[in-house]
Amino acid sequence: MPKEVLKKAEELKLTGDHEQAIKYLEDILINDLNVSKAYEEIADNFLSLKEFDKAILALEQAIKLDPISANAHYLLGFALSVKGDFDTSIQELELADKIEPNHPEILRCLGWSYFNAHDRTTGIIVLERARFMSPNDALILSDLGVCYLNSKNFEKAEEIFNHILELEPNNQQAFDCLKACQFHKIKSDLDSRK
């Protein structure tokens, strides 16, 4: 039964009906509190609903049941990153990377957390690794581009945002970031001439 319910919950999640998906997953837990995958999926739905504290609680329970779940550590690291707890996020994401090495999405989040934890060089290196493994992933490219933009490496940032727009011509965030790169490049050139 849990496999069928997990499948139905996944379908609901993919259609954006996160609250109904959570109800299906809670039904699994009513019968068996030890289904770590149900906690992971509940957390994933809470993340989509931007209910990060609830997601964190579910993920902590999932990890108690299955300490070597790369997905649970990854999701927990992501949730902590969104909440600004970058140091703890890094710990969780490094565990996820140790369990499932070189997964581009884990590396993307790990690089972002390093960059925001004031280790910009490591953050960019890890994001570049993720980009190498998944060169057309707009999320990886976006995070890397923002890191280059914040590091004032406008040429690299501009190159990345142009690549995103080749992949996704209607990506408004990439378009806005590209304009920011161009503005800062011009401003930097003007400032250097003074």
Side-chain angles (χ1 to χ4, degrees):
M1 174 188 149
K3 283 186 180 181
E4 293 168 17
V5 178
L6 283 169
K7 184 179 176 188
K8 179 64 178 172
E10 182 68 20
E11 290 169 8
L12 289 165
K13 178 176 77 172
L14 293 174
T15 63
D17 193 352
H18 301 289
E19 291 169 357
Q20 191 62 39
I22 290 168
K23 287 179 185 169
Y24 269 86
L25 294 160
E26 286 172 341
D27 285 345
I28 294 173
L29 297 174
I30 286 171
N31 296 314
D32 184 357
L33 288 171
N34 295 315
V35 182
S36 63
K37 183 72 174 159
Y39 289 105
E40 286 180 34
E41 290 298 318
I42 286 171
D44 202 10
N45 282 282
F46 278 133
L47 289 172
S48 295
L49 293 169
K50 299 189 182 340
E51 295 188 37
F52 302 111
D53 291 331
K54 290 179 180 178
I56 289 169
L57 287 173
L59 290 164
E60 288 170 345
Q61 186 60 34
I63 290 169
K64 281 181 191 171
L65 295 170
D66 184 3
I68 58 167
S69 168
N71 188 51
H73 286 289
Y74 155 69
L75 290 172
L76 182 55
F78 172 79
L80 292 165
S81 175
V82 170
K83 290 186 58 91
D85 185 355
F86 297 111
D87 292 330
T88 311
S89 171
I90 289 167
Q91 292 171 8
E92 291 299 326
L93 292 164
E94 284 182 340
L95 275 171
D97 184 50
K98 186 180 265 188
I99 296 164
E100 191 172 331
N102 298 317
H103 188 287
E105 180 59 19
I106 293 170
L107 292 175
R108 174 181 83 89
C109 291
L110 181 58
W112 182 257
S113 289
Y114 266 119
F115 188 86
N116 286 286
H118 307 295
D119 188 349
R120 290 182 165 206
T121 302
T122 301
I124 288 174
I125 289 168
V126 172
L127 280 162
E128 284 287 5
R129 277 181 55 211
R131 176 190 189 188
F132 178 78
M133 285 180 256
S134 192
N136 294 322
D137 184 310
L139 293 173
I140 292 169
L141 292 169
S142 230
D143 284 358
L144 184 58
V146 168
C147 290
Y148 278 128
L149 179 60
N150 287 330
S151 297
K152 296 182 168 79
N153 189 337
F154 303 121
E155 286 78 22
K156 281 239 186 207
E158 189 173 358
E159 169 196 321
I160 290 169
F161 292 121
N162 275 320
H163 183 61
I164 294 170
L165 289 169
E166 288 171 13
L167 300 169
E168 298 177 1
N170 296 322
N171 187 318
Q172 188 62 45
Q173 180 188 8
F175 181 77
D176 293 342
C177 288
L178 181 60
K179 291 294 177 200
C181 289
Q182 293 165 345
F183 170 79
H184 287 294
K185 255 175 74 174
I186 292 168
K187 186 177 180 310
S188 181
D189 287 346
L190 291 172
D191 289 346
S192 69
R193 293 180 191 171
K194 287 181 181 177

